[in-house]
């Protein structure tokens, strides 16, 4: 059993410069944490755990405090799981509309999984927590508000993309909330 007070006295640091991820984490996590936007090396891999594992090591060596990182990925079935953790690079190169066109050009399979990995490192123990949501890629980007692939990912059972779902509702069903809840449970148990 971990001593929660000891952990939280050192307030874990959430490493992100993404204000949207930060807002969602503040809404979801039941404890206070600090935030830093460090310039960290990001290894290139389709595997989100490898990407954040490297970031955790580098950040802890600089800060000497418990740290956690979020990395979200989009695995498109018709692309054999690509782009995965490399999503932001594909979005930068092709844009949301381009990604939708690629999926259309590959055939009828529009299935995808949105995955969030949360990594935590306290200097001794490194833990990973994953949240996955199955869904589909829309034929064209949708309206609304959000970030990343929110405009093209439609969670299973919905006709709306994440960008069209109110944030309060999204924060109950998203892959990020699943991963953050597992992380919170780990710290509190």
């Amino acid at each position: 059993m971990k001593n929660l007070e000891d952990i939280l006295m050192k307030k874990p640091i959430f490493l992100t410069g993404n204000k949207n991820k930060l807002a969602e984490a503040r809404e979801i996590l039941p404890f206070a944490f600090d935030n830093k936007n460090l310039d960290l090396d990001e290894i290139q891999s389709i595997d989100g755990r490898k990407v954040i594992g490297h970031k955790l090591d580098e950040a802890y060596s600089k800060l000497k405090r418990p740290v956690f990182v979020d990395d979200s990925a989009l695995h498109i079935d018709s692309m054999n799981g690509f782009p995965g953790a490399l999503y932001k690079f594909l979005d930068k190169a092709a844009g949301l509309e381009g990604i939708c066109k690629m999926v259309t050009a590959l055939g009828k399979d529009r299935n995808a999984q949105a995955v969030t990995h949360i990594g935590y490192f306290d200097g001794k123990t490194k833990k990973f927590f994953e949240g996955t949501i199955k869904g589909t890629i829309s034929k064209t980007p949708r309206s609304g508000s959000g970030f990343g692939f929110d405009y093209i990912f439609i969670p299973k059972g919905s006709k709306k993309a994440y960008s069209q779902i109110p944030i309060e509702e999204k924060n109950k069903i998203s892959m990020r909330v699943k991963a953050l809840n597992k992380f919170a449970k780990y710290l509190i148990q």
Side-chain angles (χ1 to χ4, degrees):
M1 175 117 168
K2 294 175 277 313
N3 184 338
L4 184 61
E5 282 187 32
D6 287 346
I7 292 169
L8 297 182
M9 287 292 287
K10 295 177 185 173
K11 271 195 192 174
I13 300 171
F14 183 26
L15 301 168
T16 187
N18 185 315
K19 65 181 179 153
N20 297 299
K21 285 183 181 183
L22 179 61
E24 286 185 11
R26 290 210 190 279
E27 179 73 26
I28 295 163
L29 289 173
F31 54 83
F33 56 86
D34 290 331
N35 170 243
K36 290 222 184 278
N37 181 15
L38 293 180
D39 187 22
L40 301 172
D41 291 334
E42 185 167 322
I43 62 168
Q44 303 309 302
S45 174
I46 196 166
D47 183 346
R49 284 178 63 140
K50 287 182 182 177
V51 173
I52 61 175
H54 180 77
K55 283 184 178 182
L56 289 170
D57 290 338
E58 188 179 357
Y60 188 85
S61 73
K62 289 181 180 184
L63 300 172
K64 304 293 188 227
R65 287 208 11 225
V67 292
F68 67 104
V69 180
D70 165 312
D71 189 76
S72 292
L74 182 65
H75 299 274
I76 301 172
D77 290 3
S78 62
M79 296 177 154
N80 296 322
F82 186 78
L86 300 172
Y87 169 77
K88 67 182 171 185
F89 299 105
L90 180 60
D91 182 26
K92 187 175 182 180
L96 295 172
E97 194 168 315
I99 295 169
C100 292
K101 286 179 181 179
M102 283 182 216
V103 172
T104 298
L106 291 170
K108 294 184 180 197
D109 186 358
R110 304 194 77 77
N111 293 322
Q113 293 80 47
V115 180
T116 293
H117 289 100
I118 302 292
Y120 171 76
F121 187 43
D122 62 10
K124 295 178 185 166
T125 304
K126 191 181 293 181
K127 296 294 273 182
F128 296 94
F129 311 91
E130 182 179 299
T132 301
I133 297 289
K134 292 181 183 254
T136 57
I137 302 300
S138 60
K139 291 183 179 178
T140 59
R142 302 284 181 92
S143 61
S145 63
F147 63 102
F149 49 79
D150 286 356
Y151 297 92
I152 62 172
F153 183 77
I154 303 168
K156 187 175 182 177
S158 179
K159 294 187 185 301
K160 297 178 181 179
Y162 271 151
S163 65
Q164 298 170 304
I165 298 172
I167 191 68
E168 300 80 20
E169 187 180 331
K170 180 187 174 202
N171 282 347
K172 292 178 184 172
I173 64 168
S174 77
M175 67 283 175
R176 183 167 289 109
V177 74
K178 287 182 173 191
L180 286 171
N181 283 339
K182 289 175 184 177
F183 170 49
K185 185 177 179 183
Y186 168 77
L187 279 188
I188 293 170
Q189 66 177 324

